[in-house]
Amino acid sequence: MDQQRSSLCVSLHNVEFAKDYHYFITVQLNVDGEKKRTDVSAQVAAPVFAASTFIIPLSNFKLDINDYLHFEAYVVTDREQGRGPDLDNQGQARLLGECILKLGDFTGPLTDISGTGVRQHLKFVRRNDKQVTVGRFIVNLKLVGEQIIPINDEKPLESDEIFQPLPASDPFMSFTWRLRVDIRACMDMPLHRDSHSGLPRGFVKLGWSQYDNQPPSEHHMHLTKIRDQNRHPIWNQQFLIPNPQTVTTLDGYLYLSLVDDIGQREIESVYFPISQMRPFQPMNFELQFKYAEYEARPRLYMSITLEMADKQKFLDELIDIIVKMVHYDPLPYASRTNLIMTLNQTKIKEVPYSVIDLKGAPTLAQALSNAQSDVFISSIMKIPPHKADKVYNAVAVFTLPKSQLESGIAFYLATRDDTIQSMHSMPNGIVGYSEIIDDWLRKLYYSKEKKQAFFPITWSDESKQRPLFMNSRCQVELTCMEAGDNPAISRVSSSKKSTRQVPRTPDMKALAENVSGADRSKWDILSKELSQKQEMIHRLMKEVDDKTESLKITGTEIVDLRRQVKLLQSENSILRKRLAHEESLEIQSIITKEIAVMSMEELRQKIIKVAQAYRNERVRNEEFEKALKTAQKDIASARQLEVELESLQRVHQENAKKMLVMQQEIQKVGVYKEAVKKQETVISKLEKLMETSLKDAQKARQAQLEVEQLKSENLNLQKQLKGIVYGEDIGELERYKQECQRLEKIVANMKEELRNKRPVSNSGADWEQDKMELEVKLHKANARIEALQDEMTYNAKNYAKEIAQLKLIIAEKQALLDSLTMGGQ
């Protein structure tokens, strides 16, 4: 088995770097292995290489536990732009980083006959003072036999197995409804024990059934191709299932069964109710079966589209959007694509597959209604696409009602993107899109001459696969016509018309004989010109056919020559490897011959010398080991001391911070003392203020009492004045006036005496005392007189106001009385 699996297949994926430059990667097995490299990428940070898969022969034709792979990443600087992709030697290459992968850790998975290989996420590292990661990539490893690698551009076997022709519909057969079913792929088909490999031979059966849980008859079944020994088959087949002639309503079920051909074992079957499907709303889903014998349940990827039409108006109501070709210039570095058509301006970033879990879904009808969308997915196409539809000679056909020509139709191009998580190996990421093309489709449909239109595809900036397509221009060649407008039929009818025109030429000549001379000459000239043009057309058509045949032949010859060149190159490399292996064997045989020629004494001396050298080397190695151990101990102690020093430094820093805080607090003590002194003075002042305010409060209380007494006296005086005003105590008032006059006289006399300075009494002491008493009495009398006068003026004002008010009241009453007396008379 090791002789059969004597080479290692290495493939690189998802390479990422930090900046946009030109890169290439080399890979080498061990030190003496042949170094292989990729092509130089475009100026991007996530390069995609065309040559990213390598077949590396193993030393001694088997995997050794000491083998390793050495990956190196180079950056190309000063590279000339616009010189084409073949100038790989332009610019200067500089080593960016490297990676070493030891194969001894993966000996078991690589040598496992039923394994799928090894997948590892690795990093490119630049080793200077420190290890710096400069890039990342994914590598897939697998042991393979020493075989010739097929050409990537031409894959006839894959074309026969995966790319299938589309089903041809009979345009003259009317139908009420039909199902367009795409069986795409299956993942994790269960293994079996009936064969040595244990791999299944899977295929799918489908057909229309009238009842649930009742499969249709065998001659009404549609079968996919059998994929031999494959747990993850890709069928990529489309089927058209029309309604039976006796059933015109949406009735019955779509029967689908996943079968293993070994032992005709049916893994599981499903019945889809047709009544729950809406017309022209595709259902793209991942069907998870209930099969629970293994942990991995089978998953089937498929699409179902219900197409409806009236029996009489079918050819007038349905249209076909025909994709003639998807043109690339130049061809991108990709192998498989999907063309997707969306309605109602639907925008997508991935290929949408709804999940229908037969084990967990509540009902299949509800799951189908949730899976309906506006996304039409074509079959898987290669690059360049092959024309799978033989009726229109096109790569894809989408059928729609005429009313949906104005529903916001756009196209998307999908390819395989490993950065998107998906369980299948089909295209899963959107790499390009077109604008909405409703106007162009209407023009194509209503035009008299059925022409084609070319729509450009814009590459998406969000796609990780954009570097594969960015250097290519892509255009979709489209046309639109009524469903059933078969070009083959039109060619047949035109050929019939041309054959019917041949026998009419004698009649035309007979008519020409009956025409007059002038008209006859014109007729002869026109007929000759017509015959000459027909002959020229036939010659040109024949030359074109001959040239197309010669181009086809030369194309096949070129392809065969390329294939032969590739085969010769691969055989040449294999022969070189074998030659190198034989040369190494010859060198070993030469060494054995030298030993055989030597005598026993020479051989003994040589062995002694080798033993001495080995002993010296061993002693030297032991000394080196001791020195290394002591160095390691010193390094460990130094690291421990460094850790202790760091901890002490941290403690010292914390203590210094605390000391700084304490010093700041101590500096604030003087400020605190001054503040306390100021507060003490303020407190003493406040205490004095409180004492003065207390005394003032006591004085205010006494003054308030005096005010209250004055108020009471004032009230009494007011009462007395009111009594005086209203005629009471008039005598007392006169008495007060007389007293006031008497006091005024006394005051006047005293003023005269003071003016004349003539004392009244003889004794000076009595005079002074009398003077003081008289002055006090005078002051009191003046004050009393002023108070009485003020009260009298104030009362007079008030009394005047009250008298005026009373006079007004009396006048009103008097007027009322006068009016009453006048009315009584």
Side-chain angles (χ1 to χ4, degrees), residues 161-181:
E161 292 179 357
I162 295 179
F163 305 107
Q164 306 296 331
L166 297 177
S169 60
D170 190 356
F172 299 103
M173 184 184 70
S174 61
F175 62 88
T176 304
W177 56 265
R178 68 182 178 186
L179 296 175
R180 190 180 295 270
V181 184

Side-chain angles (χ1 to χ4, degrees), residues 686-701:
L686 288 174
E687 288 178 352
K688 292 178 180 179
L689 288 173
M690 287 175 69
E691 290 177 357
T692 54
S693 62
L694 183 61
K695 292 178 180 179
D696 293 339
Q698 291 176 356
K699 290 179 180 179
R701 288 176 185 175

Side-chain angles (χ1 to χ4, degrees), residues 383-399:
I383 297 179
H386 69 288
K387 295 190 175 182
D389 186 77
K390 302 305 180 184
V391 177
Y392 295 108
N393 195 21
V395 298
V397 178
F398 301 99
T399 303

Side-chain angles (χ1 to χ4, degrees), residues 794-809:
Y794 177 78
N795 291 329
K797 290 179 181 179
N798 291 332
Y799 297 153
K801 289 180 182 179
E802 289 178 359
I803 289 166
Q805 290 178 357
L806 291 172
K807 283 181 179 180
L808 288 173
I809 293 169

Side-chain angles (χ1 to χ4, degrees), residues 119 285 358 448 481 563 571 575 617 692 748 791 798:
R119 183 182 178 93
F285 52 83
L358 297 179
K448 293 181 180 179
M481 61 181 65
R563 189 179 291 108
E571 288 176 356
L575 291 173
E617 189 68 23
T692 54
E791 285 182 0
N798 291 332

Side-chain angles (χ1 to χ4, degrees), residues 325-387:
M325 180 54 69
V326 182
H327 300 277
Y328 299 94
D329 184 24
L331 294 179
Y333 296 118
S335 59
R336 299 177 186 176
T337 58
N338 268 128
L339 192 64
I340 300 174
M341 184 181 74
T342 61
L343 306 180
N344 299 322
Q345 300 182 5
T346 303
K347 295 183 180 180
I348 55 176
K349 295 184 179 179
E350 299 178 4
V351 180
Y353 287 106
S354 302
V355 179
I356 297 179
D357 192 352
L358 297 179
K359 189 175 181 180
T363 58
L364 186 58
Q366 184 178 357
L368 286 177
S369 63
N370 295 332
Q372 294 175 1
S373 64
D374 295 327
V375 180
F376 294 79
I377 305 175
S378 72
S379 300
I380 300 174
M381 300 182 294
K382 65 178 182 179
I383 297 179
H386 69 288
K387 295 190 175 182

Side-chain angles (χ1 to χ4, degrees), residues 66-279:
N66 296 322
D67 289 339
Y68 63 90
L69 288 175
H70 187 202
F71 298 94
E72 291 180 340
Y74 290 86
V75 59
V76 181
T77 57
D78 300 332
R79 181 175 172 83
E80 298 181 5
Q81 299 294 332
R83 296 290 302 276
D86 297 332
L87 300 175
D88 291 344
N89 56 353
Q90 295 293 328
Q92 297 179 358
R94 182 170 59 85
L95 180 63
L96 181 64
E98 58 184 350
C99 176
I100 295 176
L101 178 64
K102 295 182 179 179
L103 299 178
D105 300 333
F106 312 106
T107 305
L110 288 174
T111 55
D112 187 6
I113 188 173
S114 60
T116 58
V118 176
R119 183 182 178 93
Q120 289 292 313
H121 295 261
L122 302 177
K123 297 179 181 179
F124 288 113
V125 178
R126 183 192 299 133
R127 291 183 173 88
N128 294 331
D129 296 334
K130 296 181 180 179
Q131 291 187 356
V132 180
T133 301
V134 296
R136 296 180 176 85
F137 67 102
I138 296 175
V139 61
N140 292 333
L141 304 176
K142 188 176 182 180
L143 280 179
V144 295
E146 188 173 13
Q147 57 186 358
I148 299 170
I149 306 172
I151 303 170
N152 293 330
D153 297 336
E154 299 292 336
K155 297 182 180 180
L157 294 176
E158 189 179 15
S159 176
D160 293 338
E161 292 179 357
I162 295 179
F163 305 107
Q164 306 296 331
L166 297 177
S169 60
D170 190 356
F172 299 103
M173 184 184 70
S174 61
F175 62 88
T176 304
W177 56 265
R178 68 182 178 186
L179 296 175
R180 190 180 295 270
V181 184
D182 288 273
I183 304 298
R184 303 189 184 278
C186 184
M187 300 297 293
D188 297 328
M189 285 192 67
L191 301 171
H192 57 78
R193 300 178 182 177
D194 298 334
S195 65
H196 178 70
S197 63
L199 297 174
R201 300 178 72 243
F203 68 96
V204 176
K205 299 191 297 184
L206 66 158
W208 178 84
S209 176
Q210 189 172 3
Y211 302 103
D212 192 6
N213 295 325
Q214 182 177 347
S217 58
E218 292 294 332
H219 63 278
H220 288 156
M221 287 280 195
H222 299 267
L223 306 178
T224 64
K225 289 190 176 182
I226 297 174
R227 297 290 180 247
D228 193 13
Q229 294 186 357
N230 195 344
R231 286 197 69 195
H232 315 295
I234 297 177
W235 291 289
N236 194 31
Q237 285 186 254
Q238 188 179 103
F239 301 94
L240 280 177
I241 304 175
N243 64 298
Q245 296 180 357
T246 57
V247 179
T248 58
T249 60
L250 289 176
D251 192 12
Y253 297 85
L254 174 63
Y255 167 76
L256 185 139
S257 176
L258 182 61
V259 184
D260 187 357
D261 187 55
I262 298 177
Q264 290 295 319
R265 181 180 57 155
E266 183 183 80
I267 297 172
E268 198 159 351
S269 60
V270 186
Y271 293 83
F272 298 98
I274 300 175
S275 60
Q276 299 297 325
M277 302 179 186
R278 291 194 291 271

